[in-house]
């Protein structure tokens, strides 16, 4: 509905601008009182936007204040209200302020060359007259604007922020962007217990960007990688803050746990993070944020498990589903996914057994399962929960199917024997069939060409896919590169093949690239992990 309102606004707004001369009313204002703006060819002040212009850019592109609060525009004094993205200036005038045309009707450009030309007929406009037009819907000649132009409820401080950005729209340079280079960042563990995995991801990212540079870069910009050590941690929050202080343009393949402070800073500065690694699987789709996940979250993995279970014959007298999960957002999302898919498929509501992270009582969980005699158990965790469950589970004539995220299985012979006996089904966030084999062959060829030894292949594959998705977004964003432009370009990806992993599709309100998973099991005869199902798609 918001997109439809925006399209209608664009058509009607352009006609009203032509009829009433609002384009002229918007042609000029200074961010400094009523003094004329600098000459349009003076772009030095746009090399790096100041705080006011950065806040104004958020209003222009996203229809939101720096606090995240959506702006409101009302069509006339008492007409329909537009909020947030639907009220953003870029919706009608384009991301670079160059104007748009739809159905033969054009919305005028808002670039500094159009708005602030010193020789504009009638002289330069001031911040005061522009504020009146935007806020009150009146031209400098006190003529009332038509209803299709929203009257924005912005106080003077926010109007000044918007005007500060209009001085630079179309020629503003984000941090990390120069005519010759683009600086990208990755927070990775280079010391501590995860150092080998972090180094493996770093080497892959550097090699992937080197391939792009060997072909001339992206719009003749060389891609530079800055890596910050996250130390003995996979959350990356402190390292991410250091990278932002070093003014990187975007993050790629960084370890990420969704830390609230780091997430708030990324959102406030509009810094995209493409393909987070480590424990950063989303608890649910984060909607319209700046973190673009390539893999599905725990809620989706649980939904795929239930979808697969629904297609299998149910043993007599075993109907219940038991979900064993840690307390907290990620575990709660796992339970929520199982419950929603069970409801969609008319299965009994799952029974929950929760535990405090790091304090899993496997014996108590096994007792609960013995009493319930469920058809299946869905187990999530963040450590050795699977090994402890397998050790504590009691032999029974009929074992329930056991669905577990693939990351929890240890590949030692003892664990594989127990997993085979327990009817273990591993839920993979990527393909587990011939497509995966071909993807891994492609990755192996890439590693061999760059003389990178294969190690911690999950990290290497994720880093490689993240680099490919980011580079594709950069190409689609165009030569005038901005963070909002990159975000918009990523939103347009549809079924993009990143190499390792499933095809990626993002959207305006979708930040998880794949909604599905595949399943494998452990063969009792060979203890080999073998495919059980191809990719299982679920509805977002």
């Amino acid at each position: 509905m918001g997109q439809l309102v925006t399209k209608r606004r664009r058509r009607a707004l352009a006609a009203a601008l032509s009829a009433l001369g609002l384009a002229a009313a918007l042609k000029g204002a200074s961010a400094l009182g009523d003094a004329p703006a600098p000459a349009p060819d003076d772009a030095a002040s746009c090399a790096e936007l100041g705080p006011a212009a950065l806040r104004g850019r958020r209003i222009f592109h996203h229809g939101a204040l720096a606090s995240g609060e959506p702006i409101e525009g009302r069509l006339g004094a008492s007409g329909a209200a537009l909020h947030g993205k639907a009220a953003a200036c870029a919706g009608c005038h384009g991301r670079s302020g160059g104007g748009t045309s739809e159905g033969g009707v054009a919305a005028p450009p808002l670039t500094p060359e159009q708005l602030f030309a010193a020789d504009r007929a009638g002289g330069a406009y001031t911040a005061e007259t522009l504020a009146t037009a935007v806020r009150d819907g009146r031209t400098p000649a006190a003529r009332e604007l038509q209803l299709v132009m929203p009257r924005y409820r912005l106080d003077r401080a926010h109007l000044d922020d918007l005007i500060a950005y209009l001085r630079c729209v179309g020629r503003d340079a984000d941090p990390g962007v120069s005519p010759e280079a683009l600086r990208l960042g990755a927070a990775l563990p280079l010391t501590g217990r995860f150092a080998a995995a972090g180094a493996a991801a770093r080497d892959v990212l550097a090699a992937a960007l080197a391939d792009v540079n060997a072909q001339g870069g992206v719009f003749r910009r060389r891609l530079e990688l800055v890596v910050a050590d996250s130390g003995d941690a996979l959350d990356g929050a402190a390292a991410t803050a250091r990278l932002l202080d070093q003014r990187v343009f975007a993050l790629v393949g960084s370890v990420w746990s969704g830390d609230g402070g780091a997430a708030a800073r990324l959102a406030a500065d509009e810094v995209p993070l493409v393909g987070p690694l480590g424990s950063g699987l989303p608890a649910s789709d984060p909607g319209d944020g700046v973190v673009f996940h390539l893999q599905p979250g725990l809620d989706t993995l649980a939904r795929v498990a239930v979808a697969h279970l629904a297609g299998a014959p149910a043993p007599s007298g075993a109907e219940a589903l038991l979900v064993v999960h840690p307390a907290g957002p990620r575990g709660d999302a796992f339970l929520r996914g199982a419950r929603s898919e069970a409801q969609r498929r008319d299965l009994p509501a799952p029974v929950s057994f929760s535990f405090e992270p790091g304090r899993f009582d496997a014996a108590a969980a096994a007792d609960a399962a013995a009493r319930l005699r469920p058809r299946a158990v869905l187990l999530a965790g963040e450590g050795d929960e699977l090994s402890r469950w397998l050790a504590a589970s009691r032999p029974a004539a009929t074992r329930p199917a056991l669905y577990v995220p693939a990351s929890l299985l240890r590949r030692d012979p003892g664990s594989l024997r127990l997993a085979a006996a327990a009817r273990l089904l591993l839920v993979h966030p990527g393909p587990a069939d011939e497509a995966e084999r071909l993807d891994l062959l492609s990755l192996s060829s890439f590693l061999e060409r760059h003389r990178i030894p294969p190690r911690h292949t999950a990290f290497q594959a994720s880093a490689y896919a993240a680099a490919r998705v980011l580079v594709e977004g950069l190409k689609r964003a165009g030569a005038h590169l901005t963070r909002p432009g990159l975000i918009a370009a990523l939103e347009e990806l549809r079924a993009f093949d990143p190499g390792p992993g499933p095809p990626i599709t993002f959207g305006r309100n979708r930040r998880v690239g794949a909604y599905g998973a595949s399943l494998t099991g452990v063969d009792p005869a060979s203890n080999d992990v073998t495919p059980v199902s191809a990719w299982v798609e679920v509805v977002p």
Side-chain angles (χ1 to χ4, degrees):
M1 182 65 182
Q3 291 179 330
L4 179 61
V5 170
T6 300
K7 289 181 178 179
R8 288 175 175 169
R9 255 194 69 205
R10 187 180 295 159
R11 296 190 187 100
L13 174 59
L17 292 174
S18 176
L20 295 177
L22 179 59
L26 297 180
K27 285 185 178 178
S30 167
L32 303 173
D34 287 346
D41 59 354
D42 179 15
S45 62
C46 296
E48 290 189 0
L49 297 180
L54 285 171
R55 294 191 297 268
R57 182 174 63 181
R58 189 166 178 79
I59 295 172
F60 185 94
H61 288 285
H62 298 285
L65 306 179
S67 64
E69 180 184 356
I71 66 170
E72 178 182 323
R74 190 166 291 278
L75 303 179
S78 58
L82 303 175
H83 298 274
K85 195 82 172 182
C89 309
C92 287
H93 299 281
R95 292 199 303 268
S96 296
T100 60
S101 179
E102 185 176 330
V105 179
L110 298 180
T111 59
E113 291 79 5
Q114 296 291 326
L115 297 180
F116 303 130
D119 60 351
R120 191 192 63 83
Y125 275 77
T126 68
E128 195 62 44
T129 55
L130 178 57
T132 299
V134 172
R135 183 179 55 203
D136 301 328
R138 294 196 307 274
T139 69
R143 188 164 43 189
E144 192 76 14
L145 300 177
Q146 286 195 358
L147 300 181
V148 291
M149 176 63 186
R151 280 63 168 163
Y152 288 97
R153 294 187 174 181
L154 295 172
D155 62 28
R156 187 50 192 259
H158 295 135
L159 285 168
D160 285 345
D161 290 342
L162 176 59
I163 294 165
Y165 180 62
L166 289 176
R167 293 176 55 191
C168 292
V169 64
R171 52 192 175 91
D172 51 314
D174 277 342
V177 180
S178 73
E180 299 81 22
L182 179 65
R183 189 163 61 249
L184 305 170
L188 294 168
L190 302 179
T191 56
R193 54 183 169 157
F194 304 113
R202 175 201 60 196
D203 293 346
V204 167
L205 289 172
L209 299 186
D211 278 352
V212 176
N213 290 336
Q215 299 172 19
V218 178
F219 292 102
R220 300 184 180 179
R221 288 190 179 98
R222 181 181 69 260
L223 303 183
E224 300 176 347
L225 180 65
V226 180
V227 179
D229 183 10
S230 66
D232 194 20
L234 288 178
D235 62 21
T240 295
R242 294 198 303 274
L243 288 169
L244 297 183
D245 291 340
Q246 296 178 61
R247 302 184 68 78
V248 298
F249 173 75
L251 301 174
V252 57
S254 280
V255 291
W256 181 252
S257 65
D259 175 82
R265 184 168 178 190
L266 289 184
D269 293 346
E270 298 180 293
V271 182
L273 165 53
V274 178
L277 307 183
S279 59
L281 288 180
S284 58
D285 195 325
D288 60 353
V290 296
V291 181
F292 289 82
H293 297 267
L294 304 192
Q295 295 184 341
L298 284 173
D299 52 347
T300 299
L301 299 187
R303 292 183 59 197
V304 168
V306 173
H308 179 264
L309 180 70
S316 177
E319 292 293 333
L321 305 179
L322 175 63
V323 180
V324 181
H325 63 96
R330 286 164 53 78
D332 292 346
F334 190 72
L335 174 63
R336 186 168 59 250
R339 284 178 170 169
S340 67
E341 195 66 22
Q343 183 178 23
R344 288 187 69 248
R345 297 178 181 274
D346 295 324
L347 296 177
V351 178
S352 168
F353 180 95
S354 66
F355 57 90
E356 290 299 318
R359 303 175 69 177
F360 177 48
D361 188 339
D367 285 342
R371 290 192 300 271
L372 186 64
R373 300 179 59 193
R375 175 181 177 182
V377 175
L378 278 63
L379 171 66
E382 299 176 356
D384 63 350
E385 289 87 356
L386 175 59
S387 297
R388 296 169 67 183
W389 170 273
L390 293 175
S393 295
R394 303 171 183 175
T398 303
R399 285 181 178 267
L402 176 61
Y403 291 88
V404 179
S407 60
L408 292 186
L409 177 66
R410 293 179 177 176
R411 299 302 177 106
D412 60 88
S415 296
L416 290 172
R417 281 195 300 271
L418 288 172
R423 297 179 59 200
L424 178 68
L425 290 167
L426 301 169
V427 189
H428 293 258
D433 53 11
E434 181 66 12
E436 181 190 38
R437 190 183 72 82
L438 294 175
D439 284 343
L440 291 178
L441 283 175
S442 175
L443 176 61
S444 296
S445 175
F446 168 85
L447 295 175
E448 183 177 354
R449 179 161 50 86
H450 287 279
R451 300 182 180 179
I452 300 173
R455 51 180 181 160
H456 298 280
T457 52
F459 259 51
Q460 289 180 321
S462 296
Y464 183 66
R468 283 175 53 85
V469 171
L470 174 63
V471 169
E472 181 66 17
L474 292 172
K475 291 177 178 178
R476 296 188 184 202
H480 177 67
L481 186 60
T482 65
R483 287 167 173 167
L486 174 58
I487 290 170
L490 291 169
E491 289 176 343
E492 295 171 359
L493 287 186
R494 299 291 184 272
F496 174 75
D497 181 6
I504 299 300
T505 295
F506 293 123
R508 178 171 285 187
N509 294 303
R510 173 171 167 164
R511 292 297 188 267
V512 175
Y515 276 95
S518 53
L519 291 99
T520 59
V522 181
D523 187 297
S526 64
N527 284 342
D528 290 335
V529 177
T530 58
V532 170
S533 79
W535 183 257
V536 178
E537 190 89 13
V538 293
V539 178

